[in-house]
Amino acid sequence: MATRKRCQVSCLLGLLLSALAGVTRGAELSFTLEPSDIIAVQEQPLMLHCQVDGIPPITTQWRRNGMLLLEDQDYAMFANGSLLIGRFQRTKPDGSSDEGDYECVAQNSFGLVVSRRARVQAATMAEFHVQPQSVRAEEAGVCRFQCQIHGVPEPIISWEKDGREVDTEDERYTLLPTGVLQITGLRSEDSGVFRCVAHNSAGVKHSAGARLTVSGSQSSVYKEPVILVGPENLTLTVHQTAILECVATGYPRPIVSWSRLDGRPIGVEGIQVLGTGNLMISDVGVQHSGVYVCAANKPGTRVRRTAQGRLVVQAPAEFVQPPQSIARPAGTTAVFTCLAQGEPVPQLTWLKNGQILEPGGHVKLRNNNSTLTIYGISPEDEAIYQCIAENSAGSTQASARLTVLWADGLPGAPGSVSADPLSPTAIQVSWKEPAQNTQDIIGYVLHIRKTADPIEMEYQEAVSKDTLQQVVSDLEPSTSYTFYVKAYTSRGASKASDTAVESTPGEVPAPPTLFTKVVNSTTVQAMWEPSAKMGQHEGFKLYYRKAHSAPFTGPITLTRNVTQFNITQLDPVLVYEVKVLAFNQHGDGNATMRFVSLKEALEKSVLNTPCDCVKDEQNKTSTAGIIIGIHIGVTCIIFCVLFLMFGYRGRLMVCKTVQDHLATPPVGRSAPQDPSAAAPSQGALHLNGVTRTSGEGNGGIAGKTRGEMKELERLFPGPSNGERQHMGHMVEGVASCLLDETQISTVPLDDFSLVWEGETRFQEPPAEGRGQNAQQGEG
């Protein structure tokens, strides 16, 4: 909904924004030179540089640790913005210090800007916290001395032997910037007293002495490779130099190699090996961060020892996209974007005229502070905004100015804004036109948001200039909304009106779905399902009564988790009306009603009562059917076996004999009285009083025989033509036999008999009636 209504507003503002597109101005105040971190010498003067470019008059000031510095005998401020500290003191008599974070502040009529923070430290050097230790070693062996001392700036370490500076031209001597002295291929003349010398701008200091004693001669006994000193974990800033130390010993002398744990190549640019295995990386970058592995390999074998150390390279914050100065009409939205990179990831802070900008109200910060959005800008928002990017490696800043365009003759703010709820989802907002400059108004924009939502969730609806009210629909029930109005002309928008806050009324629940069920002759069960539409329900009310009679009995109030209820003690011969509704704090919802007849339900229940005897009879019938089926199946199997055993010839004789007797009327029987029955051409056959039509028998058999022949040919392919002809005669005989057998089976078996080797004869039954048994002839 919000998106659709924003589209309406874009049409109204299109002309205005297109006229103002591209109206931007560069920052009228900016730094051309900012102070940098510096290390000061005690009791010496110190200059901090700052140069500003902008529209005069410009004033500059300095802040230390956020506090404004006043110009006095200790501090002098030059016209170009630079600051001179006459005599730098780390600790003053009053306990204060000149050390700290310094910022240059410049201001003119357009605003105020603050430079990056410059850290000022006093040059110092503490005592040695790691002193060199005496060493005993064999000839051709390895020796290592180390000393460590803290200082600002980092002290430079050199070494002396017996009071004279060590000859670093000798390739056997390796002096590392970390204060380590390595000597390889030891000789007897290397014996002596060694000490380190540290010096920086704060002074020079000497360590205690350590004696090196070289004895014996080179041993030819095999020794496993051993790493005496492996690389340490280092954290550096870009452009510094990294020294990864690796000192290995063994016999034969092990070969030292380096690799990265992640498998990436170390590279060759800026990479150098110092001494017999120390890795030096000059001008380190972020890409050099990683875990480095030192390996000491026994020559010609795979025997090796490893040690590893992590290198972390930090990069000061720098801008990828600094904020740009913009000009926007009053009442519109201004957006500044600031993107910075560095290692670790820089933190972004925004300043408005030199003061930290706290988000809130119409000012919002998003995307980890990289986007500054100012809604509904006014002349009070016109200022210089700065983005400060800072991490542990350094900080930087960039500034941009917001210019609020305010045309003469703009209308005043609409007045008397009021809001009246119409329904749980609609509110009508009304207002009065501005008191002045109304002739150029081209429309109004109504700004809408939930009171509890942030301002960026606001949406707008465009309203014609001919109306002073708008119905806002599609709202949520029981929700508070905030409204304000602006009048628009082709030159810009008016100031915002006063806000109006109104809440939509609550919504009663939707009617539930009701079901009824007759439990017995006097009890009805009511069941319902609440609706998910409209307002939330707090409970239910149940009513019932005799149909079209007295008032309802109830309400029976039920909690929200109850969805059924049994109504008891009802009259079994009446019809009842049941209704249920849901309610909440806003009132009762509509009810759902159902009629239920106990009499009809009772009669239906009696008629449909099942009888056990019927079930028993069905069970008996089912069991008998199964037994009969089994007997039939067994009989069929026996018949088929017998049929195959007697052979083709016997079957053919039986079929021929049966056909001859069927074609001739039985001896001793009276001729049929019906002429049609006496004529064979009419197709009537008589057998012991049983009649079959020829069309029903012969015609059906002919078609059946041909069909069975085709089916046999399909199931048993491959015989020759003669075999097929013989198979055809056999099928015809079998089919005819089957027909005759079917016909004969309709005659009582007492009327005839079959003899396989002899002739089958039919004997007429006695004259007393056909109901007597037939006599079988001898044969």
Side-chain angles (χ1 to χ4, degrees):
M1 180 181 67
T3 303
R4 173 176 57 82
K5 293 176 179 176
R6 288 191 182 99
C7 293
Q8 299 175 0
V9 179
S10 64
C11 298
L12 177 66
L13 300 179
L15 177 63
L16 175 63
L17 295 180
S18 61
L20 296 171
V23 182
T24 60
R25 305 173 68 181
E28 289 82 359
L29 187 65
S30 62
F31 290 101
T32 58
L33 180 62
E34 297 182 73
S36 57
D37 296 345
I38 194 171
I39 296 173
V41 180
Q42 288 269 30
E43 305 297 331
Q44 298 295 319
L46 174 66
M47 178 74 76
L48 296 175
H49 297 284
C50 176
Q51 293 182 7
V52 186
D53 182 27
I55 299 176
I58 301 174
T59 59
T60 56
Q61 293 177 304
W62 283 83
R63 294 192 300 213
R64 184 184 67 228
N65 298 332
M67 302 296 295
L68 195 64
L69 288 177
L70 299 178
E71 191 170 5
D72 56 17
Q73 70 275 11
D74 295 327
Y75 303 101
M77 300 180 188
F78 294 89
N80 64 356
S82 296
L83 171 67
L84 174 64
I85 302 176
R87 190 166 59 98
F88 183 87
Q89 293 179 299
R90 185 182 184 188
T91 304
K92 295 184 177 181
D94 59 0
S96 63
S97 173
D98 289 328
E99 285 188 318
D101 294 333
Y102 286 76
E103 297 169 316
C104 177
V105 181
Q107 186 175 15
N108 65 3
S109 59
F110 293 99
L112 182 148
V113 292
V114 180
S115 72
R116 68 176 295 275
R117 290 176 184 161
R119 173 159 295 181
V120 177
Q121 296 176 283
T124 59
M125 185 158 53
E127 298 297 328
F128 285 95
H129 61 276
V130 174
Q131 298 277 2
Q133 302 296 318
S134 297
V135 175
R136 283 182 172 273
E138 295 179 352
E139 285 190 4
V142 176
C143 172
R144 178 180 181 271
F145 292 109
Q146 180 183 16
C147 67
Q148 290 183 359
I149 186 172
H150 290 309
V152 177
E154 189 72 25
I156 298 175
I157 305 295
S158 61
W159 286 86
E160 295 179 348
K161 175 191 173 185
D162 297 331
R164 294 190 299 272
E165 187 175 354
V166 170
D167 182 13
T168 56
E169 296 297 326
D170 189 340
E171 61 180 11
R172 296 185 303 110
Y173 284 73
T174 302
L175 178 59
L176 303 182
T178 55
V180 173
L181 174 63
Q182 298 175 357
I183 309 173
T184 60
L186 288 173
R187 303 170 185 171
S188 59
E189 58 265 28
D190 294 325
S191 298
V193 176
F194 292 81
R195 67 174 182 174
C196 66
V197 181
H199 59 90
N200 66 3
S201 55
V204 178
K205 288 193 175 182
H206 293 77
S207 72
R211 178 172 293 278
L212 170 61
T213 302
V214 179
S215 63
S217 59
Q218 181 177 357
S219 173
S220 59
V221 178
Y222 170 76
K223 292 182 180 179
E224 288 282 346
V226 176
I227 296 179
L228 299 178
V229 180
E232 296 180 348
N233 295 332
L234 295 178
T235 299
L236 303 175
T237 305
V238 290
H239 308 307
Q240 290 184 325
T241 298
I243 302 294
L244 299 174
E245 188 178 6
C246 186
V247 178
T249 184
Y251 186 83
R253 183 177 175 181
I255 300 174
V256 176
S257 61
W258 286 90
S259 63
R260 287 177 61 111
L261 189 62
D262 57 11
R264 294 169 53 190
I266 294 179
V268 294
E269 186 175 358
I271 306 298
Q272 183 179 356
V273 176
L274 301 179
T276 58
N278 307 289
L279 183 67
M280 182 176 73
I281 307 175
S282 303
D283 192 21
V284 295
V286 176
Q287 71 277 9
H288 291 119
S289 294
V291 177
Y292 289 79
V293 180
C294 163
N297 297 73
K298 176 185 175 182
T301 68
R302 294 186 177 182
V303 178
R304 73 173 191 165
R305 298 291 182 267
T306 61
Q308 63 185 34
R310 180 179 297 274
L311 172 62
V312 176
V313 180
Q314 296 182 341
E318 61 179 355
F319 288 110
V320 177
Q321 180 181 346
Q324 302 295 321
S325 296
I326 56 175
R328 293 289 183 269
T332 60
T333 299
V335 179
F336 293 102
T337 301
C338 177
L339 298 177
Q341 66 182 7
E343 183 61 41
V345 177
Q347 299 295 317
L348 300 181
T349 305
W350 287 87
L351 306 180
K352 177 184 178 182
N353 284 337
Q355 301 298 320
I356 294 178
L357 181 64
E358 297 291 346
H362 68 299
V363 178
K364 301 296 178 183
L365 290 173
R366 296 195 302 272
N367 302 326
N368 294 325
N369 290 356
S370 64
T371 303
L372 168 63
T373 305
I374 307 173
Y375 297 91
I377 60 175
S378 64
E380 290 76 17
D381 297 311
E382 190 169 87
I384 294 178
Y385 293 84
Q386 285 181 272
C387 177
I388 308 295
E390 187 173 18
N391 64 8
S392 56
S395 67
T396 186
Q397 66 82 32
S399 61
R401 183 169 181 266
L402 172 61
T403 302
V404 180
L405 303 177
W406 187 261
D408 294 333
L410 291 178
S416 303
V417 179
S418 62
D420 300 304
L422 300 180
S423 73
T425 59
I427 293 178
Q428 178 175 282
V429 182
S430 306
W431 61 91
K432 292 183 179 180
E433 67 177 7
Q436 69 275 357
N437 300 328
T438 61
Q439 65 277 4
D440 294 331
I441 292 178
I442 60 176
Y444 296 92
V445 173
L446 175 60
H447 296 251
I448 309 153
R449 69 177 174 92
K450 293 180 183 178
T451 305
D453 283 350
I455 194 169
E456 58 261 31
M457 299 297 293
E458 177 185 280
Y459 64 94
Q460 301 87 30
E461 290 185 4
V463 184
S464 169
K465 67 176 181 178
D466 299 324
T467 183
L468 296 175
Q469 64 181 23
Q470 176 78 350
V471 175
V472 183
S473 58
D474 297 333
L475 302 178
E476 296 181 8
S478 302
T479 305
S480 176
Y481 287 86
T482 300
F483 309 91
Y484 66 91
V485 185
K486 288 183 181 180
Y488 276 81
T489 69
S490 58
R491 297 189 302 276
S494 70
K495 292 184 177 180
S497 69
D498 293 335
T499 59
V501 180
E502 187 58 69
S503 298
T504 52
E507 199 169 29
V508 297
T513 303
L514 176 62
F515 309 92
T516 58
K517 175 184 176 182
V518 177
V519 179
N520 55 46
S521 60
T522 61
T523 303
V524 171
Q525 186 180 64
M527 299 169 288
W528 56 91
E529 294 180 357
S531 174
K533 299 179 181 179
M534 303 173 64
Q536 295 294 322
H537 64 278
E538 294 181 355
F540 301 95
K541 294 180 180 179
L542 177 69
Y543 302 82
Y544 67 95
R545 68 176 179 182
K546 299 175 183 177
H548 311 297
S549 62
F552 281 98
T553 299
I556 302 173
T557 304
L558 305 167
T559 58
R560 62 179 301 169
N561 59 338
V562 177
T563 58
Q564 66 181 31
F565 185 82
N566 287 346
I567 306 172
T568 59
Q569 299 180 357
L570 302 179
D571 193 329
V573 298
L574 296 180
V575 176
Y576 283 85
E577 183 180 0
V578 181
K579 73 174 182 178
V580 67
L581 59 86
F583 68 90
N584 60 15
Q585 71 272 21
H586 305 295
D588 294 345
N590 293 328
T592 303
M593 291 182 292
R594 290 287 183 272
F595 288 93
V596 58
S597 173
L598 293 173
K599 180 178 180 181
E600 293 179 359
L602 181 61
E603 292 174 351
K604 183 177 180 181
S605 175
V606 171
L607 292 175
N608 293 338
T609 301
C611 178
D612 293 340
C613 60
V614 174
K615 292 182 179 179
D616 295 341
E617 187 64 31
Q618 291 176 351
N619 292 337
K620 291 178 181 179
T621 304
S622 176
T623 304
I626 294 173
I627 296 173
I628 292 172
I630 293 173
H631 281 287
I632 293 174
V634 173
T635 304
C636 291
I637 293 172
I638 295 173
F639 176 78
C640 292
V641 172
L642 293 175
F643 183 81
L644 295 173
M645 289 175 61
F646 285 119
Y648 170 73
R649 182 177 179 181
R651 290 195 299 272
L652 189 60
M653 291 175 60
V654 172
C655 291
K656 185 175 185 303
T657 303
V658 173
Q659 287 174 350
D660 292 341
H661 283 281
L662 288 175
T664 304
V667 178
R669 297 198 182 188
S670 59
Q673 300 297 323
D674 189 354
S676 62
S681 63
Q682 299 299 321
L685 296 176
H686 293 268
L687 183 60
N688 291 347
V690 181
T691 305
R692 291 287 184 270
T693 61
S694 60
E696 182 178 320
N698 297 339
I701 280 296
K704 183 175 181 182
T705 302
R706 287 190 296 270
E708 290 178 348
M709 288 178 63
K710 292 179 180 179
E711 182 67 16
L712 287 172
E713 289 177 356
R714 183 181 69 81
L715 296 174
F716 303 95
S720 63
N721 293 335
E723 291 173 337
R724 288 192 185 120
Q725 187 174 5
H726 178 70
M727 182 73 74
H729 291 308
M730 182 166 54
V731 171
E732 287 179 358
V734 173
S736 299
C737 180
L738 290 174
L739 172 62
D740 295 341
E741 287 175 355
T742 303
Q743 293 172 337
I744 293 170
S745 67
T746 61
V747 182
L749 294 176
D750 294 338
D751 293 345
F752 68 94
S753 62
L754 298 176
V755 179
W756 293 106
E757 284 79 12
E759 179 183 4
T760 303
R761 295 182 300 176
F762 292 93
Q763 200 171 31
E764 185 176 351
E768 286 79 12
R770 295 181 181 179
Q772 298 179 2
N773 294 335
Q775 299 293 327
Q776 182 178 0
E778 296 178 3

